[in-house]
Amino acid sequence: MHRDIATPVRTKEILQKYGFSFKKSLGQNFLIDTNILRNIVDNAGLTEESGAIEVGPGIGALTEQLAKRCKKVVAFEIDQRLLPILEDTLAPYGNTTIIHQDVLKANVREVMEREFAGMDDVMVVANLPYYVTTPIIMKLLEERLPIRGIVVMLQKEVADRISAKPGTKDYGSLSIAIQYYTVAETVMIVPKTVFIPQPNVDSAVIRLTRRKEPLFPVISEDFFFTVTRGSFAQRRKTILNNLMSQLPDGKAKKEMILSSLQEAGVEPGRRGESLSIEEFARLSDALYPYFN
Ligand code: SAM
């Protein structure tokens, strides 16, 4: 039996063997606690028939735990220096494939069709690079990939915003964008001490379970997201004032916005943070004919 990668001793041995130095700009904070990793994998609900997509395998700490639990793991890694290391550390796991690519530029759908052909349960599981957590999650959701969900480690502050409910200070366009596509839950708060190097901020693991249908279907998702982002442009402003400054200018703009707010049953003096996702959906559909 070989030792797990994610122990302080083995991780240091691997880093030393290859003279690896961390790149802060790539969000490299590696996990060195096997219990945390198992807990992440448990939360993904994988079976021997499942596939897993990982973003940023690092030296393979999480990849190894995934490989033990599911049928196949495909991991995107941007840092070329990690490729020979992964070849070494993941040698015992024939069910892992590393793709040397920036996940934001990757054609993930095509990779899934190729690598997970005939498999119908695929989860994204990752300890995300913190400088790009939201673009990565939004890409995976907006592309409507055939995944069951996403279980990822990220900054606690971002996890709070993603799972926030209306009327709270953390609720905003990110909460709405993600909850529109998924049911979002924070499943674990993680101390800094389980990483090397230790990050500056607290971390959390969230689980996003994809909805079969978006929460409230809208005429145009793009316009819905324009309206929600615009409504939070200045949090202290009313929804009317935010929409006035964020929507394109045109004749009788104010009347159109007021009439749409009325149609959606939203008082013009309310603030964006008080609107539910359903109210935003109604508002976006009411505004749509005037601004498109
Ligand atoms: N999974 C490992 C672990 O848990 O120990 C490493 C996680 S570390 C927080 C993030 C990893 O993502 C690093 O290996 C980094 O090189 C990689 N990475 C950063 N930006 C990336 C991108 N745009 N696409 C793919 N991988 C990326």
Side-chain angles (χ1 to χ4, degrees), residues 42-225:
D42 284 346
N43 273 295
L46 301 166
T47 73
E48 284 170 10
E49 300 305 312
S50 308
I53 299 175
E54 190 187 356
V55 176
I59 59 169
L62 176 58
T63 328
E64 170 179 63
Q65 303 302 328
L66 289 167
K68 287 187 196 176
R69 294 282 190 95
C70 65
K71 192 166 181 183
K72 184 159 195 189
V73 189
V74 174
F76 293 91
E77 176 54 64
I78 199 171
D79 188 348
Q80 182 154 23
R81 301 172 307 152
L82 289 165
L83 302 187
I85 307 183
L86 287 162
E87 207 165 302
D88 178 4
T89 57
L90 297 177
Y93 306 100
N95 58 346
T96 57
T97 301
I98 305 296
I99 299 181
H100 176 219
Q101 207 174 11
D102 175 346
V103 72
L104 292 174
K105 296 190 182 140
N107 186 339
V108 181
R109 182 177 295 274
E110 199 178 273
V111 168
M112 286 186 72
E113 281 165 7
R114 190 177 67 230
E115 301 286 342
F116 298 121
M119 294 169 62
D120 46 32
D121 183 59
V122 178
M123 286 292 284
V124 174
V125 187
N127 169 20
L128 291 177
Y130 288 4
Y131 74 105
V132 275
T133 44
T134 35
I136 292 174
I137 295 174
M138 287 317 296
K139 172 187 163 99
L140 298 170
L141 296 178
E142 280 172 354
E143 289 184 359
R144 293 183 181 268
L145 299 168
I147 53 174
R148 173 161 53 87
I150 300 178
V151 173
V152 282
M153 173 96 75
L154 35 57
Q155 309 90 310
K156 180 176 176 300
E157 174 256 324
V158 179
D160 289 344
R161 286 199 280 131
I162 286 177
S163 52
K165 297 280 169 267
T168 63
K169 72 169 177 21
D170 289 323
Y171 181 69
S173 51
L174 182 65
S175 331
I176 296 169
I178 291 185
Q179 293 174 35
Y180 183 76
Y181 294 115
T182 71
V183 175
E185 312 154 88
T186 297
V187 293
M188 203 186 344
I189 307 293
V190 180
K192 295 174 189 165
T193 47
V194 299
F195 301 89
I196 51 165
Q198 292 190 14
N200 298 324
V201 294
D202 290 330
S203 299
V205 176
I206 54 161
R207 176 170 54 212
L208 306 175
T209 309
R210 212 167 59 118
R211 298 180 192 277
K212 294 235 160 23
E213 300 292 331
L215 198 47
F216 301 100
V218 287
I219 299 171
S220 156
E221 286 181 8
D222 279 352
F223 186 67
F224 170 71
F225 293 128

Side-chain angles (χ1 to χ4, degrees), residues 19-34:
F20 184 82
S21 53
F22 293 99
K23 268 198 192 149
K24 215 174 165 183
S25 62
L26 291 179
Q28 293 178 335
N29 301 95
F30 294 172
L31 277 165
I32 46 166
D33 186 320
T34 320

